[in-house]
Amino acid sequence: MFNIVKGTHDVIQAEAQRYSYIEEVMTNVALNYGYKEFRTPVLENSDLFIRSVGDSSDIVRKEMYTFEDKGGRSITLRPERTAGIIRSMVNAKLFANQDYPVKAFYVGPNFRYERPQQGRYRQFNQFGVECAGASTIERDVETIALGYTMLKVLGFDNLKLKINTLGDKESRENYKAALKEYFSKHIEEMCGDCKERFKLNILRILDCKVPEDRPIIDKAPKIGDYLTEEARNRFEKVKSYLTALEIPFEVDSELVRGLDYYSGIVFEFHYTASNGNNYGAIGAGGHYGNLISEIGGPQIEGVGFAFGIERIAKVMEDDSLFPELANGVDLFIMPMGEKAVEFSFGLAYVLRNLGYSTEVCYEAKSMGAMFKKAERREATLALIIGEDELNNNMITIKNLGTKEQTQINLQDLQSYLDNFFDIELESADDSECCCHHEGHEHGECCRHEGHEHGECCQDDDEHEHHCCHGHGHCHHEE
Ligand code: ATP
Ligand code: MG
């Protein structure tokens, strides 16, 4: 027995399917907002994070998995994605060759040496976006709207969106001076981390999670009182846009985020499950002013956010927000006897190529045992092939839902199945939504994928009819 590495977790079977579902919904909404996928390495040169995330952040100070490789380079397992995504844009010269903003979405694991607890792992997954080359308020709010929409499509109600502004440089300098004065009177009573933050980056103190420090922090000066007129107007405009989009929010003047590159608007999405479970922010992001130029790009700004897939999956489970995700197979072949096994082996290959998910029972001999296995595999139809069937070129088909049984000619099998699954689809399809069977509510996913009913398939030369037939595959593919 080997133990799993502390702070990591296996995501397997149904849970992996739920993660994929979350990622698929988020991907569709991101595509709808004009984002393109980026896949960047897990390994980056350590300097990238020291420069961008900032050496006053907890991440760089104590959470990075950094090691020297055999060539003597300092390598870090990415603790976050923004820096790597921007680096990839710079390296690919996208800022020189493409229109602004360059919009990226990503999904995958990050690594932070944190104290493991509920909703906090050392390897965890994020889905996030970066909109680079964006300085307008509209892009900031568009990005918040994108994150909000992803969560709404996943079924979240009663979301709590917290926003704050870190202002412009001048506002921040004024504010930091006020904080310095205030905390200089209290820092001796505060935690060791805060003592360091006091020296390194005083704003970070507001992000302290030590409960004993909170009363002191709560009485600290508020950024709102130190904003320049321009920064104040900007923040007001963000609020009025959110109101116009009917996206509920609250201003949290202590929200500063854990990464040093943020400036301007910052935000977090929170959600408490009905059983009271709350694993911290499920997603967070903000505007960054200098990050792109620090990484070697032009002096342009950006905005982005990242969702924590683990936390989202947990609260969705708590509140039963997942739709029933298809788990069964279309066809379960039951061969009786050696010849039938050989025949079934080839038949399964053909049926799978036709788009029907198919399992063959090689592991049981009796009918009773095979039917039990078919049930556990949640099969729709059992295809029974025995000696009689082989001799007469027939096949026995049992509908495992209705228990009806029928015999057909083998040569009619394809048309029988096409007909059966088409009819099954129609009777289940009480809407015109082409994605009904993917486990989304009617209308929800299609709107965000940008297709009307039927369109997604017609546009696609490979398919004759529906793209989302039955259990999500294309029975009508050539
Ligand atoms: P927190 O305040 O909870 O530590 P953070 O400020 O470090 O979060 P970000 O770096 O902005 O968070 O990451 C965005 C999201 O990624 C978080 O809102 C959270 O959902 C998720 N996340 C961050 N760290 C972890 C972790 N160690 N384990 C699981 N999810 C995480
Ligand atoms: Mg953190």
Side-chain angles (χ1 to χ4, degrees):
M1 274 281 280
F2 290 98
N3 289 333
I4 193 166
V5 172
K6 185 174 179 192
T8 68
H9 64 129
D10 295 316
V11 182
I12 61 173
Q13 297 192 319
E15 191 178 21
Q17 202 180 8
R18 292 195 286 272
Y19 277 40
S20 295
Y21 169 76
I22 293 171
E23 291 164 10
E24 186 189 313
V25 168
M26 289 186 171
T27 297
N28 287 335
V29 183
L31 292 170
N32 183 243
Y33 273 68
Y35 284 76
K36 301 271 187 268
E37 185 171 9
F38 279 53
R39 301 186 186 209
T40 60
V42 164
L43 305 179
E44 295 278 359
N45 289 307
S46 305
D47 282 349
L48 175 70
F49 302 112
I50 297 170
R51 264 196 94 90
S52 59
V53 178
D55 47 18
S56 74
S57 66
D58 283 359
I59 293 178
V60 170
R61 281 176 47 232
K62 46 189 188 188
E63 295 174 1
M64 293 209 303
Y65 279 90
T66 297
F67 61 95
E68 195 174 284
D69 73 5
K70 290 185 171 33
R73 303 168 195 87
S74 179
I75 304 290
T76 294
L77 304 187
R78 64 187 184 208
E80 62 94 59
R81 297 297 294 276
T82 306
I85 298 285
I86 300 298
R87 180 203 51 67
S88 77
M89 291 176 177
V90 172
N91 288 14
K93 301 195 168 49
L94 302 191
F95 297 123
N97 301 326
Q98 296 189 357
D99 285 334
Y100 296 167
V102 180
K103 291 173 158 187
F105 75 87
Y106 60 81
V107 57
N110 294 342
F111 306 82
R112 293 183 194 173
Y113 194 78
E114 298 201 67
R115 196 167 69 76
Q117 50 192 295
Q118 277 274 50
R120 195 173 290 286
Y121 299 92
R122 290 182 173 171
Q123 174 170 344
F124 62 98
N125 291 282
Q126 284 186 334
F127 188 108
V129 307
E130 306 300 339
C131 179
S135 52
T136 62
I137 297 161
E138 287 74 14
R139 291 294 181 205
D140 285 348
V141 182
E142 183 183 270
T143 306
I144 296 175
L146 166 59
Y148 179 79
T149 305
M150 287 175 172
L151 296 174
K152 288 301 265 189
V153 176
L154 284 171
F156 282 92
D157 273 323
N158 302 318
L159 275 170
K160 194 180 267 187
L161 165 63
K162 296 183 182 181
I163 63 168
N164 191 23
T165 181
L166 302 176
D168 48 22
K169 201 162 190 269
E170 190 185 334
S171 314
R172 260 193 318 280
E173 292 311 319
N174 294 339
Y175 183 48
K176 281 184 188 172
L179 288 180
K180 197 107 204 170
E181 200 195 321
Y182 172 80
F183 282 116
S184 64
K185 293 179 224 138
H186 302 280
I187 196 66
E188 284 315 313
E189 307 150 50
M190 301 185 77
C191 72
D193 273 338
C194 279
K195 290 193 177 81
E196 272 197 54
R197 292 174 181 131
F198 183 80
K199 285 184 247 149
L200 287 170
N201 181 354
I202 192 142
L203 270 178
R204 292 260 63 79
I205 293 184
L206 302 183
D207 199 29
C208 176
K209 294 185 175 76
V210 175
E212 292 75 23
D213 286 355
R214 289 318 304 182
I216 301 176
I217 294 168
D218 289 343
K219 292 198 201 72
K222 303 284 179 264
I223 179 87
D225 298 326
Y226 296 85
L227 296 175
T228 59
E229 196 181 331
E230 201 193 329
R232 189 187 316 278
N233 289 340
R234 226 184 133 93
F235 195 43
E236 287 308 315
K237 184 102 196 233
V238 167
K239 292 195 257 180
S240 73
Y241 268 138
L242 285 173
T243 306
L245 298 181
E246 296 181 16
I247 297 178
F249 63 90
E250 60 186 56
V251 175
D252 177 350
S253 54
E254 285 164 11
L255 185 66
V256 289
R257 314 286 314 111
L259 305 97
D260 286 354
Y261 49 66
Y262 287 118
S263 57
I265 181 100
V266 287
F267 53 92
E268 284 184 353
F269 291 100
H270 290 254
Y271 181 78
T272 306
S274 42
N275 61 8
N277 280 349
N278 180 330
Y279 307 102
I282 55 176
H287 184 99
Y288 39 87
N290 294 316
L291 177 67
I292 300 174
S293 60
E294 294 216 341
I295 295 179
Q299 184 57 55
I300 51 174
E301 304 180 19
V303 54
F305 64 73
F307 282 124
I309 307 273
E310 277 78 1
R311 294 186 193 180
I312 288 183
K314 268 276 187 295
V315 285
M316 285 183 68
E317 274 167 54
D318 287 346
D319 277 6
S320 309
L321 296 182
F322 284 106
E324 207 173 301
L325 298 170
N327 198 25
V329 284
D330 296 332
L331 309 174
F332 193 81
I333 306 181
M334 303 178 174
M336 304 299 293
E338 212 168 296
K339 268 202 185 131
V341 164
E342 265 174 39
F343 179 78
S344 301
F345 181 77
L347 180 64
Y349 186 70
V350 173
L351 292 173
R352 286 167 177 153
N353 285 345
L354 287 173
Y356 294 105
S357 57
T358 303
E359 192 50 87
V360 190
C361 188
Y362 298 118
E363 286 76 19
K365 298 247 176 312
S366 83
M367 276 295 231
M370 289 194 188
F371 273 115
K372 281 212 182 89
K373 284 180 190 287
E375 225 167 82
R376 283 198 291 270
R377 281 299 279 116
E378 295 177 36
T380 305
L381 297 180
L383 306 187
I384 302 158
I385 301 166
E387 234 165 71
D388 278 357
E389 280 88 353
L390 280 183
N391 290 338
N392 301 318
N393 258 332
M394 304 286 282
I395 189 161
T396 303
I397 302 179
K398 180 159 183 176
N399 182 329
L400 294 168
T402 63
K403 309 290 180 215
E404 279 167 308
Q405 190 162 310
T406 150
Q407 258 201 348
I408 61 162
N409 274 320
L410 204 48
Q411 77 221 31
D412 297 331
L413 181 59
Q414 187 181 352
S415 59
Y416 179 90
L417 295 177
D418 287 351
N419 193 33
F420 176 85
F421 283 100
D422 247 356
I423 289 172
E424 214 209 8
L425 174 74
E426 266 164 36
S427 61
D429 192 358
D430 53 6
S431 69
E432 312 110 80
C433 172
C434 68
C435 303
H436 197 71
H437 295 274
E438 284 183 328
H440 310 284
E441 286 286 289
H442 168 49
E444 273 189 3
C445 77
C446 302
R447 266 208 312 276
H448 295 286
E449 277 171 11
H451 355 263
E452 293 288 329
H453 169 52
E455 261 188 21
C456 56
C457 330
Q458 280 151 19
D459 289 347
D460 196 336
D461 288 341
E462 283 172 47
H463 311 285
E464 263 180 62
H465 299 293
H466 317 275
C467 72
C468 306
H469 193 305
H471 300 285
H473 22 241
C474 310
H475 293 322
H476 298 276
E477 256 177 73
E478 284 301 300

